Amino acid sequence: VREFTIAVGGGDPGSVPITFSTVAGHWRDQAAMVRMLDLDLPRIVVGAVEWEYHAPVTIGDRLHGRRVVTAVDIKQGARGVMTVITLETRFHRGDGEFAVVQRDTVIELPE
């Protein structure tokens, strides 16, 4: 947490920056997600990422989350059809309290 706080230019090294839940993404098997959603890896871009906090997260908390697909939209773009997928991870603290929602928008560009 301390190194992350320094890297993002955060304030108190003893506090948890609100974007710290992004670290969870480094422990995910992204290749498995691409296979499961039947996506073409070279055509994937991240459209957006957002966080919504419902409870404080402090140093020492262990967050547990489950990522699910909440929407799949097909959109016509200037270069062809794009698939826009919204993923949501709901994180709970070790005490069971619901703490954070992370929403990711993944776009598969046209061929």
Side-chain angles (χ1 to χ4, degrees):
V1 173
R2 184 173 290 114
E3 289 177 13
F4 185 86
T5 302
I6 292 167
V8 298
D12 177 12
S15 66
V16 178
I18 61 172
T19 55
F20 188 71
S21 60
T22 62
V23 173
H26 298 291
W27 297 97
R28 291 184 177 136
D29 185 351
Q30 299 292 14
M33 177 203 70
V34 169
R35 284 190 306 274
M36 188 179 308
L37 297 174
D38 196 27
L39 300 173
D40 183 16
L41 185 59
R43 295 174 34 218
I44 297 172
V45 297
V46 175
V49 180
E50 64 183 61
W51 297 268
E52 184 179 307
Y53 280 77
H54 296 269
V57 177
T58 59
I59 293 175
D61 284 343
R62 293 183 63 101
L63 298 178
H64 303 274
R66 182 166 180 247
R67 192 178 206 190
V68 297
V69 175
T70 58
V72 177
D73 297 303
I74 306 300
K75 296 191 176 192
Q76 182 65 43
R79 298 184 332 172
V81 176
M82 299 180 294
T83 304
V84 180
I85 301 169
T86 304
L87 302 155
E88 185 174 283
T89 307
R90 298 175 69 84
F91 290 100
H92 290 79
R93 296 189 320 212
D95 63 6
E97 185 170 4
F98 174 52
V100 182
V101 176
Q102 179 179 337
R103 287 184 195 87
D104 302 287
T105 303
V106 177
I107 302 168
E108 184 179 52
L109 299 172
E111 292 186 54

